Amino acid sequence: MIVTLIVICEVGFWVLLAAGLATRYLLKMPRTGMALLLCEPLLEVLLLVVTAIDLKNGADPSWKHGLAALYIGYTVGHGHRTVKWLDGHAAHRFGGAPRPPKPPQYGMARARHEGAVWLGSAVAAAVASGLLLLAAWYVGDDGDTEGLYGWIFVAWRAAGIHGLIALSYAIWPKKAPVNDSAVPARDPEHVPDLLVRRTRKDEEQV
């Protein structure tokens, strides 16, 4: 049941997102569209409540409960950025707004961008860990909570790998490609001064 609900929440996330953006820009109803977008967190609340009820009814903590915690954490950490990115492109495509700027691709600007994205992964791991600890406390000593603690390790391992990738952009900044078509600069002494040459021609004619 938990896995089915996770799938429903994932599908519902994209359905509400599409409906909210279409209502906001195609139907020209911004308030209704925003209301639909604000309904998305309710899906995560529903998943959290059902997971707690499942544990309360005596279900043994399993990978399904851990997966639910990770899904909620990911939505908290990255959901807002995803919605903002899609909203910006929808506003440009259907609302006449300027094209959203692309993320930086090179140098320390790219490193800072990757670091900001990693912060979302860290928030996701923290939220998932908090939910898993609450679930373990809720179950108590009578249940098998080792699986829940194992998912905490999974959450922070994923955040750690992402952090190393983000850090690599700061240690080895990505350089912009060199434009091969550009004409290489030459020594000024070997570049004829057109003004000087034109003056000399005028003097010879006189």
Side-chain angles (χ1 to χ4, degrees):
M1 177 181 179
I2 300 298
V3 177
T4 303
L5 187 59
I6 292 174
V7 174
I8 293 175
C9 288
E10 178 66 17
V11 174
F13 174 86
W14 293 106
V15 169
L16 281 176
L17 181 58
L21 294 178
T23 303
R24 190 173 184 183
Y25 296 109
L26 296 181
L27 301 181
K28 307 299 181 182
M29 301 171 63
R31 292 184 179 180
T32 305
M34 181 59 68
L36 289 173
L37 294 176
L38 292 177
C39 287
E40 291 182 348
L42 297 178
L43 296 174
E44 281 65 51
V45 174
L46 174 63
L47 179 59
L48 178 61
V49 170
V50 172
T51 303
I53 292 175
D54 191 44
L55 292 172
K56 181 67 175 179
N57 291 336
D60 293 330
S62 65
W63 63 272
K64 297 179 291 185
H65 303 96
L67 183 61
L70 290 186
Y71 175 78
I72 295 173
Y74 177 86
T75 304
V76 173
H78 293 286
H80 175 72
R81 183 173 55 85
T82 302
V83 172
K84 183 178 179 181
W85 182 83
L86 290 173
D87 182 68
H89 282 275
H92 167 67
R93 180 67 177 82
F94 304 109
R99 182 185 295 274
K102 293 183 178 180
Q105 298 295 317
Y106 310 106
M108 293 307 297
R110 173 66 182 272
R112 287 190 292 270
H113 170 75
E114 294 295 334
V117 176
W118 172 78
L119 285 178
S121 296
V123 170
V127 170
S129 298
L131 293 175
L132 290 167
L133 289 173
L134 284 175
W137 171 80
Y138 187 70
V139 172
D141 298 333
D142 297 333
D144 183 10
T145 57
E146 291 184 4
L148 296 177
Y149 292 117
W151 278 97
I152 296 177
F153 171 75
V154 171
W156 285 106
R157 181 178 62 184
I161 294 174
H162 188 187
L164 291 176
I165 295 174
L167 183 62
S168 67
Y169 284 95
I171 299 177
W172 300 286
K174 189 175 180 181
K175 297 181 180 179
V178 179
N179 189 358
D180 296 333
S181 62
V183 178
R186 293 182 294 175
D187 192 327
E189 294 181 358
H190 301 99
V191 179
D193 189 332
L194 297 180
L195 269 179
V196 173
R197 189 168 61 183
R198 184 177 302 171
T199 302
R200 289 177 179 175
K201 287 183 179 180
D202 293 340
E203 291 175 353
E204 291 175 358
Q205 291 178 357
V206 173

